[in-house]
Amino acid sequence: MSVQRFSRATLRATPWKNGGGTTQEIASWPPGAGLDSFGWRVSIATIASPGPFSVFPGIERQIMLLEGDGVRLFTHDGRVSHRLDVPHRPFAFSGDDPIDCTLLGGASNDFNVMTRGGQWRADVQVLDHAADIAPAPHGVLLALRGDWRLNDEGLGEGEGLCWTDHAQAWQAAPGSEDARLVAVRFVPA
């Protein structure tokens, strides 16, 4: 089993091809997989200008606002229209959809989870209280607000853990009443 610690502050930012923002990859599976070959991927993106999202055929996506005013996500045929303007509420959509976005103010940061259909499913939940996180062979935990205790590991705000290739369960305990933790569990489809 491999459990890796990470910090938002030290994740490398990569500019988007269209210049509309940057992405900080937290983890992807298998290791070293590119955008066309990952089974799952977790990242944080900064959306700095309006424009289209990249289309990812066969990929299921979940996005959640972390900071900022947010964006409106939509398709030009009207099938998708969603205001992503409340922090810590995941929104699921298909990577097949040609999603466009407009800013609802300034730049915003969001948390992104992608899974390849037929290979992986992602369970994304935001915790604000002590909870048991069921075992999963892969996953990512990120302290969104406040400090957390995860089994024997302490996490400060902006710190996280990623585990792969081992069914790991966690006992999560917040350090304060306003603490928030995002827990992503990846299970085979």
Side-chain angles (χ1 to χ4, degrees):
M1 174 184 80
S2 172
V3 176
Q4 303 290 323
R5 289 183 72 92
F6 66 89
S7 170
R8 281 185 67 181
T10 61
L11 294 173
R12 186 173 62 91
T14 306
W16 293 354
K17 283 187 261 185
N18 70 7
T22 59
T23 297
Q24 296 174 287
E25 183 176 283
I26 293 171
S28 65
W29 185 262
L35 291 179
D36 57 349
S37 61
F38 65 81
W40 59 259
R41 182 173 190 258
V42 179
S43 62
I44 295 173
T46 299
I47 302 175
S49 62
F53 277 29
S54 297
V55 173
F56 284 97
I59 301 296
E60 294 303 315
R61 300 182 70 173
Q62 295 187 56
I63 187 171
M64 178 177 72
L65 180 65
L66 294 176
E67 299 102 14
D69 297 319
V71 296
R72 183 174 79 86
L73 305 174
F74 63 95
T75 55
H76 290 280
D77 64 7
R79 286 181 301 114
V80 175
S81 180
H82 179 77
R83 286 178 63 93
L84 190 74
D85 59 355
V86 178
H88 309 155
R89 286 197 189 155
F91 173 69
F93 62 98
S94 171
D96 293 309
D97 289 334
I99 298 287
D100 209 333
C101 86
T102 56
L103 300 181
L104 297 176
S108 62
N109 294 317
D110 59 72
F111 183 80
N112 296 281
V113 177
M114 296 193 280
T115 53
R116 191 165 304 281
Q119 291 184 18
W120 296 95
R121 269 187 314 99
D123 172 43
V124 179
Q125 54 182 318
V126 176
L127 303 175
D128 62 0
H129 58 277
D132 291 334
I133 300 169
H138 299 247
V140 172
L141 304 170
L142 173 62
L144 301 172
R145 190 182 310 148
D147 296 332
W148 284 82
R149 193 101 192 120
L150 297 152
N151 296 354
D152 295 330
E153 299 277 341
L155 291 182
E157 187 169 315
E159 296 178 332
L161 299 171
C162 173
W163 73 95
T164 56
D165 251 0
H166 179 75
Q168 177 69 47
W170 299 92
Q171 290 181 324
S176 63
E177 219 174 87
D178 65 341
R180 298 289 181 275
L181 175 85
V182 63
V184 183
R185 298 172 55 255
F186 293 105
V187 295

